[in-house]
């Protein structure tokens, strides 16, 4: 009955999320639009990656956990992209932004588009990412932007739940058998260089920090390291050394994996433009 | 009955599609009921979990219920501010959850619990009493369950598994 009800739900403009737009100067408005894409695309793309586990997880409980990770992330993306579209004022809604952009127009951090790899790699990535998001959402809760603060208020609790669940697996696998330890350490070594991008910044970040809308990315680097260090230590994992490598997904320069992810994510809207439930 | 009160009475009959013995009023989803200039009722709802797939169905059901009650032109809208929290579930809503065998959310909103959850996010688990026998001797089975809003636990006293409404 529920499915029937969902299918009968015709899109209704009145059902759209109503947003009263704050009054920003054009530069701040444009910077916030790009910031919302960076945040919204990061959770969207990781949500898409995580959903690839559907039907493939090692046990039923983790099948549900991964599907729910994806659901939470895509839910957060919907709110962020809806707001981004409204702020831009060019009539683009969440679906247009999610499904009808080209690769260089996506602003997700590169780590989110990397292939899932094995279960250990997926959980290490999720733990590192969720630990960052917990700190970021917590700061955004006191954002001068009321909508971003409201989205953060809910997302911070979801991110905390993700951090706890994925962190539990990092400890169990890292401090598990020799094989699980090696796989977890290899995942950490590979993924670690991609975390540097999260704390890099540009003039948009400076402008939004000045306006009290978002924290300066660099401010989260030390707290994030302090958050993940005890868990990695408990998991008997060696902290990888600093690396000069920098990824640039937030600036629209993606890894080779993004070009494979997008056709699958965008398939329906590309094949049936404007198709609705 | 003033118009907003009459509307509220209609909203109290709109069930949550996944937990049908709870209404959207019990869940604390109704932010505000006002009357637009043209006399049409304006209902502002708060979406619950970010990824809840029932959101659209709830808006449609609300619109249908209002139309049947004589408000065909009612406007139903979602607003993001204020953020919904499981603390918004009413006392009646919590009682209905318990009656359905679903443990209501621990009060994540209390400062001490929130502080403990923040200080030790990896090890903090609130003690959830069993909705069947009331025992506090329960254990988590799966942190994720049949819907986005629930976890699965088991009571060591009566042996029954039960669902737990996650606090957010």
């Amino acid at each position: 009955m529920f499915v029937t009800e969902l299918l009968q739900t015709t899109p209704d403009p009145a059902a759209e999320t109503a947003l009263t737009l704050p009054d920003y100067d054009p530069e701040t408005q444009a910077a916030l639009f790009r910031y919302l894409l960076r945040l919204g695309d990061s959770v969207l793309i990781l949500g898409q990656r995580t959903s690839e586990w559907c039907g493939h997880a090692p046990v039923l409980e983790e099948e549900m956990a991964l599907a729910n990770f994806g659901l939470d992330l895509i839910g957060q993306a919907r709110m962020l992209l809806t707001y981004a579209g409204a702020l831009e004022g060019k009539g683009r809604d969440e679906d247009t932004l999610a499904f009808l952009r080209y690769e260089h127009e996506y602003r997700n951090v590169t780590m989110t588009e990397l292939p899932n790899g094995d279960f250990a790699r997926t959980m290490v990535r999720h733990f590192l990412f969720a630990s960052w998001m917990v700190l970021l959402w917590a700061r955004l809760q006191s954002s001068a932007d009321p909508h971003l603060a409201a989205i953060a208020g809910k997302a911070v609790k979801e991110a905390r739940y993700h951090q706890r669940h994925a962190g539990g697996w990092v400890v169990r696998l890292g401090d598990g058998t020799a094989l699980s330890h090696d796989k977890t350490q290899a995942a950490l070594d590979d993924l670690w260089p991609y975390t540097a991008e999260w704390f890099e910044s540009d003039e948009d970040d400076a402008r939004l920090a000045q306006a009290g809308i978002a924290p300066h990315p660099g401010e989260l680097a030390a707290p994030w390291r302090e958050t993940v260090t005890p868990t990695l230590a408990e998991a008997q994992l060696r902290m990888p050394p600093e690396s000069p490598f920098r990824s640039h997904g937030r600036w629209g320069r993606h890894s080779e994996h993004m070009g494979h992810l997008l056709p699958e994510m965008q398939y329906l809207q590309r094949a049936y433009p404007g198709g609705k439930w | 009955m003033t118009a907003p009160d009459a509307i509220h009475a209609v909203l109290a009959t709109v069930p949550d599609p996944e937990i049908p013995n709870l209404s959207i009023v019990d869940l604390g989803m109704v932010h505000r009921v006002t009357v637009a200039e043209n006399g049409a009722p304006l209902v502002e709802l708060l979406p619950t979990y970010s990824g809840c797939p029932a959101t659209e169905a709830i808006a449609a059901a609300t619109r249908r219920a209002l139309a049947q009650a004589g408000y065909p032109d009612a406007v139903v809208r979602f607003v993001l501010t204020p953020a919904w929290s499981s603390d918004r579930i009413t006392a009646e809503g919590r009682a209905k959850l318990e009656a359905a065998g679903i443990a209501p959310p621990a009060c994540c909103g209390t400062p001490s619990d929130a502080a403990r959850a923040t200080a030790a996010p990896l090890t903090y688990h609130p003690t959830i009493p069993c909705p069947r026998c009331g025992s506090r001797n329960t254990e988590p089975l799966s942190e994720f369950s049949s819907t986005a809003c629930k976890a699965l636990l088991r009571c060591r006293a009566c042996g029954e598994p039960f669902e737990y409404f996650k606090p957010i």
Side-chain angles (χ1 to χ4, degrees):
Chain A
M1 181 213 162
F2 172 55
V3 173
T4 326
E5 217 166 75
L6 200 62
L7 287 171
Q8 283 169 352
T9 307
T10 42
D12 175 351
E16 301 293 321
T17 302
L19 289 167
T20 317
L21 294 179
D23 191 19
Y24 292 124
D25 62 78
E27 289 83 11
T28 307
Q29 183 163 335
L32 179 55
F33 169 70
R34 291 188 290 263
Y35 185 81
L36 290 168
L37 288 189
R38 286 172 165 180
L39 204 53
D41 287 347
S42 293
V43 285
L44 172 71
I45 299 298
L46 187 58
Q48 169 72 15
R49 271 293 182 224
T50 309
S51 71
E52 289 174 13
W53 272 102
C54 273
H56 303 282
V59 291
L60 186 58
E61 286 80 0
E62 293 315 304
E63 179 77 24
M64 291 194 291
L66 285 158
N68 275 288
F69 278 179
L71 205 55
D72 284 346
L73 292 167
I74 289 169
Q76 293 160 8
R78 292 187 61 181
M79 293 190 282
L80 291 163
L81 295 180
T82 295
Y83 183 28
L87 202 62
E88 186 194 33
K90 291 183 183 166
R92 292 204 277 183
D93 65 4
E94 48 173 322
D95 287 338
T96 317
L97 285 170
F99 297 123
L100 297 178
R101 278 179 295 157
Y102 293 107
E103 180 178 326
H104 67 277
E105 296 170 301
Y106 284 83
R107 292 288 186 266
N108 54 292
V109 294
T110 302
M111 192 196 279
T112 58
E113 76 208 32
L114 299 179
N116 290 330
D118 56 24
F119 186 71
R121 178 180 290 251
T122 299
M123 285 299 161
V124 169
R125 179 180 60 190
H126 214 89
F127 170 68
L128 297 176
F129 182 80
S131 300
W132 173 49
M133 291 307 284
V134 166
L135 294 169
L136 183 55
W137 289 128
R139 291 285 300 270
L140 288 172
Q141 274 184 288
S142 51
S143 167
D145 185 279
H147 299 308
L148 195 48
I151 295 169
K154 213 154 38 173
V156 68
K157 296 173 190 166
E158 295 166 345
R160 215 174 268 148
Y161 208 84
H162 290 202
Q163 181 191 27
R164 188 178 78 195
H165 188 75
W169 273 111
V170 170
V171 172
R172 259 173 287 174
L173 295 170
D175 193 18
T177 64
L179 179 66
S180 74
H181 171 84
D182 289 352
K183 286 189 171 192
T184 312
Q185 182 68 55
L188 184 65
D189 290 344
D190 283 353
L191 293 169
W192 189 261
Y194 289 92
T195 61
E197 177 190 352
W198 303 347
F199 311 111
E200 302 268 298
S201 56
D202 60 14
E203 59 274 19
D204 278 356
D205 294 308
R207 183 182 292 276
L208 296 177
Q210 179 76 28
I213 293 174
H216 200 273
E219 285 172 23
L220 298 179
W224 175 77
R225 201 175 246 274
E226 277 167 37
T227 305
V228 299
T229 302
T231 302
L232 299 181
E234 193 186 342
Q236 311 296 321
L237 295 170
R238 178 175 27 81
M239 189 86 94
E242 281 311 308
S243 137
F245 172 83
R246 287 292 180 274
S247 55
H248 297 97
R250 290 178 81 229
W251 286 267
R253 299 201 295 282
H254 293 282
S255 71
E256 68 272 29
H257 306 291
M258 189 69 170
H260 295 272
L261 179 147
L262 287 181
E264 187 166 322
M265 188 176 86
Q266 299 182 332
Y267 167 76
L268 202 72
Q269 281 301 320
R270 296 288 185 198
Y272 303 96
K276 301 238 183 240
W277 266 90
Chain B
M1 231 187 215
T2 61
D5 284 345
I7 301 284
H8 256 287
V10 178
L11 298 177
T13 67
V14 179
D16 177 275
E18 305 209 33
I19 316 173
N21 65 331
L22 257 74
S23 78
I24 57 174
V25 173
D26 296 327
L27 284 168
M29 287 183 70
V30 179
H31 169 51
R32 199 161 57 175
V33 177
T34 48
V35 180
E37 295 78 21
N38 60 1
L42 172 66
V43 176
E44 289 175 309
L45 300 178
L46 303 174
T48 59
Y49 291 79
S50 301
C52 181
T55 309
E56 274 83 6
I58 288 173
T62 306
R63 224 169 285 121
R64 233 178 0 251
L66 287 168
Q68 279 164 12
Y71 304 97
D73 52 351
V75 179
V76 178
R77 245 189 233 151
F78 282 104
V79 292
L80 297 180
T81 322
W84 182 86
S85 148
S86 50
D87 293 346
R88 289 184 61 98
I89 300 175
T90 63
E92 199 180 332
R94 294 176 68 89
K96 285 181 184 174
L97 274 175
E98 201 138 29
I102 301 168
C107 293
C108 199
T110 64
S112 69
D113 269 22
R116 282 161 63 202
T118 311
L122 294 190
T123 52
Y124 173 70
H125 284 278
T127 309
I128 310 303
C130 170
R132 284 174 58 89
C133 72
S135 166
R136 299 184 74 84
N137 186 13
T138 59
E139 59 180 343
L141 283 184
S142 173
E143 304 213 44
F144 297 87
S145 182
S146 61
T147 68
C149 55
K150 285 177 280 177
L152 192 64
L153 281 78
R154 175 166 52 202
C155 176
R156 291 195 187 99
C158 70
E160 288 291 330
F162 63 93
E163 288 197 300
Y164 167 53
F165 201 102
K166 298 187 312 206
I168 72 160

